[in-house]
Amino acid sequence: MNSGKTAVCGWLLRPAESYIRWVLGVVLVAAVVRVGLRVPDGGMDNAIVVRAAEAWLDGRSPYADRHFLYLPGAVLAALPQALLPADVVRFLVPAGVTAGLAAGWACALRIHGVPWRSRFAVYGLLGLALGFAPFGHLVELGNWTVGSAVALPFALLLVCRGRWVAAGLVIGAAVAVKPLLAPVVLLFVFARRWRGLGAAVGVPALVSAAAALAMPDPAGFFTRTLPFLLRGEDSFVRLYEASPAAVLARLGVPQTGATLLAGCAAVAGVWCAWRRWRRPGRGGEGDATPARVVECAAMLMLSAFLVSRPSYDHYLLVVLPLLLAGALTPGAAARSPWFWVALVPQVPGFSWPWLEPETRRAFKDAVTLCMLAGTVGWACVAGRGGGDQGGRYPGERRPACDEESPVPVSRAAF
C-alpha cells in the first residue's frame, strides 16, 4: 500500500472548506457578469439560434442563415429567448451556460463516486474555470454545446445504474437540439441495448419531424445546412476548426489527404472504443462500470471530433470533465502525464510564438484534441483495468488512489 497516495486521496475526498467554496462562487459569478456586460446578445453563437427563432416567428426560414447548423428542434427551444428582453438575455445566457457546465461536472463526479462537496470537486471546477480556456470561450459564446456537456455525463450516470432506456431518452433529447452526441449511439450498439438505442434515435427523429413541419422550409436542414457542412463551411469559420482535416489543410496538406488521415484516425478511435467495451467481457448491466462506460463514450466522441466539420475547442468540454472526474481512480486516462500535457496549450494568458492571432488558435486546439484522443485511445486498448471497483450501486466504482487501498467515503459527504 502506498500510504502517501492514500493520504492525498483522503485529503481530496474530504469536504472542502467554506472559503474555497466562496472563492469558486465568486469566480463563476464574476465570469457571468463580465460576459453580460461585454456581450449584449447573450453570445455570438447563441444569437444565431435566437435569430433563427425570430425568423420563424416572422414566417421566414430559420435555415436562410447558413451559420444556423442546428436541427429544427433548436428553433422551438430558442423561442423563450426570442420573447425575452435583451437586457435579461445578456445575463441569463452566460448564467445558464455556467450552471450547465457545473451540472455536467457534478454528474461526472457522481459517476466516479466522488462527493460533490469534496475538495476534489471544488478545486476541479475551479481549475476548469480558471485554467481551461475553452470554459471561458463557451460561456462567452453562449454556444449550445453546453446542452451536450450536461446530457452526456447525466446519460452515462444512468447507464452506470443500468437505466439504458432513460439514458437513450437523455441522449435523444440532446441530439434533437444539437446533433453533437450522435456518435454516442454506438455505445448502445456495443452493449446491444436496442430499446435504449431506439429511444436515442427515435426522440430526435420525432422532434425534428414535428418541428420541421411547422416551418416554411421543412427540408432546410438537408437542402442548406448539410451541403454547407460537407463543403467544410466558409473560409472564416474554417479558421477556428480544430479537426485535423481542417488544420492539416491550412498547413499545406491537400484537402483529400487531410480528410483521409482524419478519417483513418476516427476509425482507429472507434476501434479503440470497441476494444475498451469488450475488455471486461460481454456484459450486461453489471458490467456497465464507470471506467468502461466513460472511456468508451469519451473515445467515441473524440473520434468524431477528429473528423467532424465543424470541430471547435469548446467541444472538449463534453468529454474533459468526465475524464478529469476519474483522476483519483487507478488506471484512468487522467492519470497519464500525456493527459495533462495535452491541456497545456489551453492554459489562458500564455502567448505561444507565432500563434498569438485569434485565427491561429485552431492549431493549439488541434494539438490538444489529438493528444487527448491518443491518450484515451491508449487507455482503452492497453489500460491496466484497475479502475472498475465496486460502489454503492451496480457498476459504480469507489474512488481510490491505488488498487490495494480504496479510501472509504462517508455517505454524508455527498
Side-chain angles (χ1 to χ4, degrees), residues 345-380:
Q346 303 302 327
V347 175
F350 183 81
S351 297
W352 294 85
W354 303 290
L355 297 179
E356 289 85 354
E358 186 73 9
T359 54
R360 296 182 183 177
R361 192 184 70 208
F363 295 105
K364 298 189 296 182
D365 301 337
V367 171
T368 298
L369 171 60
C370 293
M371 291 190 69
L372 276 181
T375 300
V376 177
W378 179 256
C380 289

Side-chain angles (χ1 to χ4, degrees), residues 236-300:
F236 172 75
V237 175
R238 195 176 301 123
L239 297 175
Y240 298 91
E241 290 191 27
S243 168
V247 171
L248 290 176
R250 292 177 63 184
L251 293 174
V253 178
Q255 185 62 65
T256 302
T259 303
L260 180 61
L261 288 174
C264 291
V267 171
V270 174
W271 177 80
C272 290
W274 170 240
R275 283 287 304 271
R276 180 62 183 100
W277 185 258
R278 289 177 58 88
R279 192 200 307 162
R282 300 178 179 273
E285 294 179 1
D287 281 330
T289 52
R292 185 188 192 195
V293 170
V294 167
E295 291 176 4
C296 184
M299 192 67 251
L300 289 173

